[in-house]
Amino acid sequence: MKTLERTLSIIKPDAMKKPGATGDIISMLEQKGFRIIGAKMLEINKAQAEGFYAVHAGKPFFDSLTNFMSSGPIMVLALEKENAIADLRELMGATNPANAKEGTIRKKWAANIEKNAIHGSDAEDTARFELSYFFAGYELAR
Ligand code: ADP
Ligand code: MG
């Protein structure tokens, strides 16, 4: 049986800067059946980016990634759908857009392995952490 899930997505600063990308990405999400239950545009600082990506602390790309994520506006989205976590990962495409399949968001909008347009939670526990990082319960639609 499929279960209704929630996941956290972020339209990253590179995509936010590209004319037409933000609306197109939201449209691709809606066309796949994701219901937007929370959304906000904001800019996070370096420390907030480090907190969000704490699981990657120590990796060679951590400093550059957190600089990038705090370099401009982002849009954080709380999404709901059956099988949302895995389905969002599939719609996003591979981390490195060079390996992303046709029809995926990263294939269409990502520039490179770092500036790859979109984030999506990778598991139930990370989805719970990431949703609570950006949204209070009262901010989510019923
Ligand atoms: P994903 O976003 O697909 O879950 P990861 O969790 O492995 O990928 O990495 C988090 C983010 O860190 C990626 O989306 C990307 O922006 C960046 N990143 C990952 N690997 C690299 C790398 N080798 N070089 C530069 N940036 C990277
Ligand atoms: Mg990840």
Side-chain angles (χ1 to χ4, degrees), residues 73-93:
I74 59 173
M75 184 167 288
V76 292
L77 300 167
L79 302 173
E80 188 175 77
K81 181 187 179 303
E82 282 185 352
N83 207 36
I85 298 167
D87 285 2
L88 176 60
R89 298 289 307 186
E90 182 162 342
L91 179 60
M92 283 162 52

Side-chain angles (χ1 to χ4, degrees), residues 12 53 56 61 65 68 89 92 95 106 113-116 118-120:
K12 296 186 179 183
Y53 278 117
H56 292 305
F61 58 81
L65 170 64
F68 163 55
R89 298 289 307 186
M92 283 162 52
T95 307
R106 282 170 167 166
I113 193 169
E114 178 181 84
K115 295 178 174 58
N116 59 4
I118 185 167
H119 168 86

Side-chain angles (χ1 to χ4, degrees), residues 89-105:
R89 298 289 307 186
E90 182 162 342
L91 179 60
M92 283 162 52
T95 307
N96 185 345
N99 304 324
K101 287 188 204 147
E102 212 56 57
T104 64
I105 291 169

Side-chain angles (χ1 to χ4, degrees), residues 7-29:
T7 193
L8 188 278
S9 186
I10 304 176
I11 302 177
K12 296 186 179 183
D14 59 321
M16 291 291 290
K17 286 191 185 107
K18 287 183 188 163
T22 303
D24 186 61
I25 290 168
I26 290 171
S27 175
M28 288 173 83
L29 292 167

Side-chain angles (χ1 to χ4, degrees), residues 15-139:
M16 291 291 290
K17 286 191 185 107
K18 287 183 188 163
T22 303
D24 186 61
I25 290 168
I26 290 171
S27 175
M28 288 173 83
L29 292 167
E30 290 193 319
Q31 275 167 30
K32 280 283 174 187
F34 291 91
R35 184 166 81 96
I36 298 169
I37 58 169
K40 57 177 96 166
M41 183 172 145
L42 70 164
E43 287 193 51
I44 55 172
N45 63 30
K46 172 92 168 162
Q48 290 165 336
E50 288 170 349
F52 181 76
Y53 278 117
V55 64
H56 292 305
K59 299 211 178 132
F61 58 81
F62 185 68
D63 189 52
S64 179
L65 170 64
T66 52
N67 283 337
F68 163 55
M69 290 301 289
S70 57
S71 68
I74 59 173
M75 184 167 288
V76 292
L77 300 167
L79 302 173
E80 188 175 77
K81 181 187 179 303
E82 282 185 352
N83 207 36
I85 298 167
D87 285 2
L88 176 60
R89 298 289 307 186
E90 182 162 342
L91 179 60
M92 283 162 52
T95 307
N96 185 345
N99 304 324
K101 287 188 204 147
E102 212 56 57
T104 64
I105 291 169
R106 282 170 167 166
K107 176 75 180 180
K108 188 166 184 185
W109 291 110
N112 56 52
I113 193 169
E114 178 181 84
K115 295 178 174 58
N116 59 4
I118 185 167
H119 168 86
S121 311
D122 64 2
E124 264 181 57
D125 57 339
T126 49
R128 213 172 302 117
F129 167 77
E130 292 176 359
L131 284 162
S132 69
Y133 199 82
F134 285 113
F135 293 100
Y138 72 87
E139 295 177 297

